[in-house]
Amino acid sequence: MASSILMIIYDGIGDRPVKELDNRTPLEAAKTPNLDRMAKKGINGIMDTIAPGIIPGSDTGHLALLGYDPFKVYTGRGPFEAAGIGIEVEPGDIAFRCNFSTIEEGLITNRRAGRIKEGTKELSDSINQIDIGIDFVFQEGVEHRGVLIFKEDGLGSNVSDVDPHEEGVPYLTSKPISDNEDDTRTAEILNEFTKKSMKILSDHPVNELRVDMGERPANIVLARGSGTVPHIRSLPERTGMKCAAIAGIPLVRGVCLMAGMDIIEVDGATGGMDTDIEAIYLRAKEAMKEYDFVLVNIKGCDLSGHDGLAHEKVEFIERLDRELKILEGLEEHYIAFTGDHSTPVLVKDHSGDSLPLTIVGPQVRSDGVTSYDERSCVRGGLSRLSGQDLLNVLMDLSGHGEKFGA
Ligand code: ZN
Ligand code: ZN
C-alpha cells in the first residue's frame, strides 16, 4: 500500500549568514531539536525551487513544487490571486491585480486609499454594475486590494498597467504591448473600466462618508499585472493522487486551486506571524488519512525576511520547530521539509539562494546529516535538487510513481 505525502513549505525560510547572528543564518541560529532529529532520520539535500540563481515568487515557486514548469504556465500573478480570493477563473480569462486608490485633481495622492478597511464590498457591488461591453467580475480582497477579471474570448493580456506605481502623478492609460489586436482590445476595455468605475466611485456613499470622516476616498481602481488564466493539467489528473493544500495566503491558495487541489481551511491559520502553527500541523496530520498528497504553506519566515528582522525570524523558526512533535505517528508516511524560496533578512526580499530539504519516511537512505539548515543539508544524499523534481522523488518513495519504460 502506498504511503501518503506531506510537503511542508516554510515560506521564505532560506537565508544568508547574518552578522548579528554570529554569521549564521536564522535557521542555523535557531534552536531546532525536532527539525534536526528529522535531518538525522531523513535524507537531505538542497533545492533550487526553479533553477540556480533564479529568484522565485511564491506563485512561481509553488508551481515548480507542484511539478509544473513556471516558465510555461505562468503569465502573471493576477490569475492566481483571483483564484485565491475565491473568484472562479477559467483558462483564457484575463486577470488584473487592483488597488483602490485616491485621486485628487487628476493626481494619484494615495495608492492604497489610506489602507481602506471598510466599505470595499459596497464599492465592489457598484463597480460590478457598470457596463463595459463584456462580462467581467471585480472582487475586493484584503484592505485596498482587489482583482478584476475579463471573461471574454479573444482578449490578450499583453497590456501596460493603469497603476503608475507612484504617487503625485496622474494614472496611466493602458496600452497594448504588442501589435496584436487582442491586446489592443483588452487595453481599450480596461481604460473604459477605469473611467466608468471612477465615475461611479466619485460620489459613492462609502466615499462621501470617508471624506466626512477625514479619510481618503477610494475613488479610483488602479489595475496592474495583467495575466491570462493558464491551461493547467490538474495535479490529481497528472498524478492520480488525491491532493489538498493548507495555505493562509491567497496567492498560494490560488496556485493550489488552479492545480485542482482541495483547499483545507484551518481556524487560526492567518498567513501572518500570529498564525496558529499547532492548528495547522494538527489539521495536516488529520488530512493525511484522507489524502495522498498534502501541501502545507506557513508564511511567517517570509514576513520577517521582508522586514529584515533576523531575531524575529529565528523566533518564528523556533516556534515552527516546537510544535513539530504533533506530527509524531506519521512514521509510515513521507514528509518533506523545505521552502519555496529564500527571503534573506539582509535582502528584505526573495533571493535565488538554494533551500534546505529533508525527507523523512520509512525507506529513505539516511545520510549522516545531523542538522536541518542551509549548510548542513548540502552534505546529504539528495545533493542538489530542482523544485520541479521534488514531487517526483516523493511519489517514487511513497509508491505513487509510475515506471517510465518497460
Ligand atoms: Zn513564498
Ligand atoms: Zn515574500
mmCIF file with all atom_site columns, all heavy atoms in Angstrom, residues 299 302 306 341 350, ligand 2:
data_model
loop_
_atom_site.group_PDB
_atom_site.id
_atom_site.type_symbol
_atom_site.label_atom_id
_atom_site.label_alt_id
_atom_site.label_comp_id
_atom_site.label_asym_id
_atom_site.label_entity_id
_atom_site.label_seq_id
_atom_site.pdbx_PDB_ins_code
_atom_site.Cartn_x
_atom_site.Cartn_y
_atom_site.Cartn_z
_atom_site.occupancy
_atom_site.B_iso_or_equiv
_atom_site.pdbx_formal_charge
_atom_site.auth_seq_id
_atom_site.auth_comp_id
_atom_site.auth_asym_id
_atom_site.auth_atom_id
_atom_site.pdbx_PDB_model_num
ATOM   1  N  N   . LYS A 1 299 ? 3.631  30.925 6.399  1.00 0.00 ? 299 LYS A N   1
ATOM   2  C  CA  . LYS A 1 299 ? 4.201  32.140 5.825  1.00 0.00 ? 299 LYS A CA  1
ATOM   3  C  C   . LYS A 1 299 ? 5.261  32.870 6.678  1.00 0.00 ? 299 LYS A C   1
ATOM   4  O  O   . LYS A 1 299 ? 6.158  33.503 6.121  1.00 0.00 ? 299 LYS A O   1
ATOM   5  C  CB  . LYS A 1 299 ? 3.027  33.101 5.559  1.00 0.00 ? 299 LYS A CB  1
ATOM   6  C  CG  . LYS A 1 299 ? 3.383  34.378 4.869  1.00 0.00 ? 299 LYS A CG  1
ATOM   7  C  CD  . LYS A 1 299 ? 3.524  34.192 3.389  1.00 0.00 ? 299 LYS A CD  1
ATOM   8  C  CE  . LYS A 1 299 ? 3.778  35.516 2.693  1.00 0.00 ? 299 LYS A CE  1
ATOM   9  N  NZ  . LYS A 1 299 ? 4.337  35.334 1.357  1.00 0.00 ? 299 LYS A NZ  1
ATOM   10 N  N   . ASP A 1 302 ? 8.876  34.325 5.808  1.00 0.00 ? 302 ASP A N   1
ATOM   11 C  CA  . ASP A 1 302 ? 8.947  35.259 4.684  1.00 0.00 ? 302 ASP A CA  1
ATOM   12 C  C   . ASP A 1 302 ? 8.688  36.687 5.157  1.00 0.00 ? 302 ASP A C   1
ATOM   13 O  O   . ASP A 1 302 ? 9.353  37.628 4.708  1.00 0.00 ? 302 ASP A O   1
ATOM   14 C  CB  . ASP A 1 302 ? 7.926  34.847 3.630  1.00 0.00 ? 302 ASP A CB  1
ATOM   15 C  CG  . ASP A 1 302 ? 7.973  35.739 2.395  1.00 0.00 ? 302 ASP A CG  1
ATOM   16 O  OD1 . ASP A 1 302 ? 9.047  35.831 1.782  1.00 0.00 ? 302 ASP A OD1 1
ATOM   17 O  OD2 . ASP A 1 302 ? 6.935  36.350 2.067  1.00 0.00 ? 302 ASP A OD2 1
ATOM   18 N  N   . HIS A 1 306 ? 11.210 39.800 4.797  1.00 0.00 ? 306 HIS A N   1
ATOM   19 C  CA  . HIS A 1 306 ? 10.915 41.055 4.097  1.00 0.00 ? 306 HIS A CA  1
ATOM   20 C  C   . HIS A 1 306 ? 11.143 42.255 5.013  1.00 0.00 ? 306 HIS A C   1
ATOM   21 O  O   . HIS A 1 306 ? 11.555 43.321 4.570  1.00 0.00 ? 306 HIS A O   1
ATOM   22 C  CB  . HIS A 1 306 ? 9.453  41.076 3.615  1.00 0.00 ? 306 HIS A CB  1
ATOM   23 C  CG  . HIS A 1 306 ? 9.229  40.295 2.356  1.00 0.00 ? 306 HIS A CG  1
ATOM   24 N  ND1 . HIS A 1 306 ? 9.645  40.733 1.129  1.00 0.00 ? 306 HIS A ND1 1
ATOM   25 C  CD2 . HIS A 1 306 ? 8.617  39.103 2.143  1.00 0.00 ? 306 HIS A CD2 1
ATOM   26 C  CE1 . HIS A 1 306 ? 9.301  39.846 0.198  1.00 0.00 ? 306 HIS A CE1 1
ATOM   27 N  NE2 . HIS A 1 306 ? 8.682  38.842 0.796  1.00 0.00 ? 306 HIS A NE2 1
ATOM   28 N  N   . HIS A 1 341 ? 11.347 29.551 -1.423 1.00 0.00 ? 341 HIS A N   1
ATOM   29 C  CA  . HIS A 1 341 ? 12.438 30.441 -1.828 1.00 0.00 ? 341 HIS A CA  1
ATOM   30 C  C   . HIS A 1 341 ? 13.090 30.935 -0.551 1.00 0.00 ? 341 HIS A C   1
ATOM   31 O  O   . HIS A 1 341 ? 12.536 30.780 0.532  1.00 0.00 ? 341 HIS A O   1
ATOM   32 C  CB  . HIS A 1 341 ? 11.918 31.644 -2.630 1.00 0.00 ? 341 HIS A CB  1
ATOM   33 C  CG  . HIS A 1 341 ? 10.780 32.344 -1.941 1.00 0.00 ? 341 HIS A CG  1
ATOM   34 N  ND1 . HIS A 1 341 ? 10.955 33.165 -0.861 1.00 0.00 ? 341 HIS A ND1 1
ATOM   35 C  CD2 . HIS A 1 341 ? 9.440  32.270 -2.146 1.00 0.00 ? 341 HIS A CD2 1
ATOM   36 C  CE1 . HIS A 1 341 ? 9.782  33.585 -0.435 1.00 0.00 ? 341 HIS A CE1 1
ATOM   37 N  NE2 . HIS A 1 341 ? 8.833  33.042 -1.187 1.00 0.00 ? 341 HIS A NE2 1
ATOM   38 N  N   . HIS A 1 350 ? 12.925 38.264 -1.774 1.00 0.00 ? 350 HIS A N   1
ATOM   39 C  CA  . HIS A 1 350 ? 13.301 36.897 -2.110 1.00 0.00 ? 350 HIS A CA  1
ATOM   40 C  C   . HIS A 1 350 ? 14.681 36.884 -2.765 1.00 0.00 ? 350 HIS A C   1
ATOM   41 O  O   . HIS A 1 350 ? 15.119 37.888 -3.310 1.00 0.00 ? 350 HIS A O   1
ATOM   42 C  CB  . HIS A 1 350 ? 12.282 36.293 -3.080 1.00 0.00 ? 350 HIS A CB  1
ATOM   43 C  CG  . HIS A 1 350 ? 10.887 36.312 -2.553 1.00 0.00 ? 350 HIS A CG  1
ATOM   44 N  ND1 . HIS A 1 350 ? 9.812  35.836 -3.267 1.00 0.00 ? 350 HIS A ND1 1
ATOM   45 C  CD2 . HIS A 1 350 ? 10.383 36.774 -1.382 1.00 0.00 ? 350 HIS A CD2 1
ATOM   46 C  CE1 . HIS A 1 350 ? 8.710  36.006 -2.554 1.00 0.00 ? 350 HIS A CE1 1
ATOM   47 N  NE2 . HIS A 1 350 ? 9.030  36.573 -1.407 1.00 0.00 ? 350 HIS A NE2 1
HETATM 48 ZN ZN  . ZN  B 2 .   ? 7.788  37.030 0.111  1.00 0.00 ? 2   ZN  B ZN  1
#
